[in-house]
Amino acid sequence: MTPSIHPVLLCGGSGTRLWPLSRQSFPKQFSKLTGTESLFQGAARRLRGDGFTAPVVITGNDFRFIVVEQLAGIETAPQAILIEPAGRNTAPAVLAAALHLQALDPDALMLVAPSDHVVPDDAAFRAAVQAATARALAGDIITFGITPTRAETGYGYLELAAGADAQAAIPQSLARFVEKPDAATATNMLNAGNFLWNAGIFLFTAATLIKAFQAHAPQVLGPVQAAVENARPDLAFTRLDPAAWEGVPDISIDYAIMEKAANLAVMPFSAGWSDLGGWDAVWQESGPDASGNVSSANATAIDCEDTLLRSESPRIELVGIGLSDIIAIATTDAVLVAHKSQSQRVKEAVAILKARGATQATTFPTDHRPWGMFESLVIGSRFQVKRIVVNPGAALSLQSHHHRSEHWIVVQGTARVTVDGEVRLLTENQSVYIPLGAVHRMENPGKLPMVLIEVQTGSYLGEDDIIRYEDVYSRGQGPKG
């Protein structure tokens, strides 16, 4: 009987190439870029069902509740959620998952996949995984190679060994990994027919991977092993030890292991794949119309061709007239306009905005929290207006502020409000004043989302002006904990 496969979803990264929709505070894997589900939800759905265990997710501290919420949205319970104290690239993350799984099952079979890719044919991908299982159980490291459809310069490549079949339905011998090429090299490799795109998806046993780190990257193994052994539970999460993690090198799994190991094989896959590495890829995967245009619900294309027009807000109507090969993305606080051929340069714009101190570089006006979300509507020199949505049964922390007072006006549902020990219920159209320094909390005791408008006034309105006294989400101090 073939053992079950443990999906390992890598869920970190900032996705700056898809700015302004993807930002550090809410990266692309959590966004609905090409359908009704987020990329993360699509990845989790793809790797579940017969032959798969519940997923192991590796993510950062700020995303842990988003992971839980989005998995619940597709009725999937995680096997474990490992919290990285800081991003250290893919090698430490994958190794941490292997060590975690090996402690539970010495023969654990792992399928490692990024959570921000698109695979249109889930059944075909699961079939490819099953076809590669025997080689992985025999001790090989299987990487998945995508049949190239164009001379792409944004992907790494896999060169097949002599005699290997790029269209085979079983794993093939691999000659080498190839870094992202220039245009001429990419064209030559496409014409050669023995190169595949490197999808960054791997299948192996935990024991096989750990042996590979012992042989090729012992400098990574030591501190990651200590971080896993000294990990501590925190609600439904497992926090890797921060002290040990400080000594973990920042290195990719390709550099640490894949370019050195001899027991490699590649599983060809030709049923479609994209890492959505830029807006040109989103345009391509979104199904352009007869004129090559992709338009969102709040965007209109007039006499345009090969253009992506996307508005993320019903309050912003985006109109393009006479455009060709243009990408235009509008959010409530930022607009991107670029030639499609220049879409890979979006990260340059993000770097410039960061250097200028523009908040749009990293954060959204909408901020997701474990209890719900808030949206900044108006910001002035000494005031801010927010729309706050609290999920049914959820509660904000018991807290106070040094620099601001607040007015709360309930516009939907019922709020249970605590101010300096006094508890009262507020219904629609009722309000309450929170003086500076008062210890307060809001809760939603109802079965529907509760919405209120908050008006803050004071000398400093930053999210880090929060002192928490109690918190059901164990976030500690800081803007998000």
Side-chain angles (χ1 to χ4, degrees):
M1 178 176 170
T2 303
S4 294
I5 296 170
H6 297 265
V8 175
L9 295 175
L10 305 179
C11 199
S14 58
T16 55
R17 287 180 294 176
L18 291 180
W19 183 90
L21 188 57
S22 175
R23 305 185 197 181
Q24 184 177 320
S25 66
F26 197 79
K28 72 172 183 174
Q29 60 264 29
F30 301 121
S31 300
K32 298 175 183 177
L33 283 164
T34 60
T36 59
E37 292 180 339
S38 72
L39 300 179
F40 171 67
Q41 289 174 316
R45 187 185 292 278
R46 186 177 311 123
L47 305 182
R48 73 179 187 183
D50 293 343
F52 292 93
T53 70
V56 174
V57 182
I58 309 167
T59 191
N61 184 66
D62 287 349
F63 307 139
R64 64 197 190 280
F65 292 109
I66 299 174
V67 165
V68 171
E69 180 182 358
Q70 293 208 348
L71 287 177
I74 57 169
E75 300 180 337
T76 296
Q79 178 183 168
I81 299 176
L82 306 183
I83 307 299
E84 293 181 284
R88 289 292 188 269
N89 217 315
T90 53
V94 175
L95 177 57
L99 292 165
H100 171 83
L101 286 170
Q102 189 188 49
L104 304 174
D105 176 7
D107 300 315
L109 182 60
M110 303 168 54
L111 178 66
V112 176
S115 60
D116 57 358
H117 291 183
V118 170
V119 179
D121 193 336
D122 289 355
F125 181 74
R126 286 192 287 264
V129 172
Q130 293 298 333
T133 297
R135 286 285 295 269
L137 290 172
D140 284 339
I141 295 174
I142 312 299
T143 181
F144 287 74
I146 310 301
T147 303
T149 57
R150 60 190 182 276
E152 176 62 56
T153 60
Y155 299 152
Y157 284 70
L158 305 168
E159 182 180 4
L160 296 174
D165 182 0
Q167 301 298 320
I170 58 174
Q172 300 293 294
S173 298
L174 179 63
R176 65 185 177 110
F177 281 69
V178 181
E179 294 297 317
K180 295 177 182 179
D182 57 28
T185 304
T187 299
N188 291 336
M189 291 192 294
L190 179 67
N191 294 334
N194 64 328
F195 289 86
L196 302 172
W197 288 337
N198 179 9
I201 302 171
F202 305 99
L203 181 69
F204 40 67
T205 66
T208 295
L209 186 75
I210 294 167
K211 288 179 182 176
F213 272 92
Q214 290 171 338
H216 305 295
Q219 77 280 10
V220 181
L221 179 60
V224 173
Q225 198 161 27
V228 173
E229 290 174 353
N230 296 312
R232 62 178 180 84
D234 179 3
L235 299 178
F237 312 105
T238 299
R239 289 187 177 275
L240 302 176
D241 181 65
W245 201 255
E246 286 185 2
V248 173
D250 187 327
I251 186 171
S252 73
I253 189 75
D254 284 358
Y255 282 126
I257 301 300
M258 303 304 165
E259 295 183 3
K260 302 172 184 176
N263 56 332
L264 291 175
V266 57
M267 181 68 210
F269 185 71
S270 59
W273 167 91
S274 174
D275 74 342
L276 292 187
W279 283 113
D280 55 336
V282 175
W283 167 81
Q284 195 165 49
E285 293 296 322
S286 298
D289 63 18
S291 298
N293 296 315
V294 175
S295 301
S296 71
N298 303 300
T300 303
I302 301 173
D303 292 332
C304 295
E305 60 181 12
D306 299 329
T307 291
L308 172 62
L309 302 177
R310 183 165 178 153
S311 170
E312 297 302 314
S313 171
R315 292 180 289 176
I316 297 177
E317 286 292 334
L318 177 63
V319 179
I321 302 175
L323 302 178
S324 179
D325 290 313
I326 293 296
I327 291 166
I329 313 296
T331 65
T332 57
D333 66 336
V335 176
L336 168 70
V337 181
H339 194 275
K340 188 136 49 76
S341 66
Q342 301 295 307
S343 63
Q344 292 296 319
R345 300 184 62 189
V346 172
K347 59 168 59 173
E348 294 179 33
V350 175
I352 292 171
L353 291 175
K354 278 185 178 179
R356 245 179 32 210
T359 58
Q360 291 92 333
T362 56
T363 60
F364 281 102
T366 300
D367 200 328
H368 297 263
R369 298 298 171 98
W371 45 260
M373 56 79 72
F374 70 79
E375 177 185 12
S376 295
L377 303 177
V378 182
I379 301 176
S381 60
R382 290 181 60 88
F383 75 93
Q384 180 172 201
V385 181
K386 291 181 178 178
R387 182 176 71 95
I388 299 176
V389 180
V390 183
N391 295 329
L396 281 68
S397 61
L398 185 67
Q399 59 185 255
S400 67
H401 310 293
H402 285 304
H403 302 289
R404 70 175 184 255
S405 59
E406 297 170 344
H407 295 260
W408 295 344
I409 305 167
V410 177
V411 296
Q412 179 181 312
T414 300
R416 180 187 291 122
V417 175
T418 301
V419 182
D420 284 336
E422 180 184 347
V423 181
R424 56 187 291 197
L425 289 177
L426 299 179
T427 57
E428 293 180 11
N429 259 346
Q430 293 185 317
S431 63
V432 65
Y433 172 61
I434 314 297
L436 185 151
V439 177
H440 60 280
R441 165 182 273 160
M442 78 171 76
E443 305 169 71
N444 180 359
K447 298 184 181 300
L448 297 173
M450 182 266 290
V451 182
L452 60 83
I453 300 299
E454 177 182 84
V455 180
Q456 301 176 351
T457 58
S459 59
Y460 178 74
L461 306 174
E463 288 303 313
D464 53 349
D465 181 20
I466 297 176
I467 302 169
R468 291 192 178 95
Y469 304 97
E470 295 176 8
D471 184 39
V472 296
Y473 307 106
S474 301
R475 287 173 292 171
Q477 302 302 325
K480 290 191 177 183

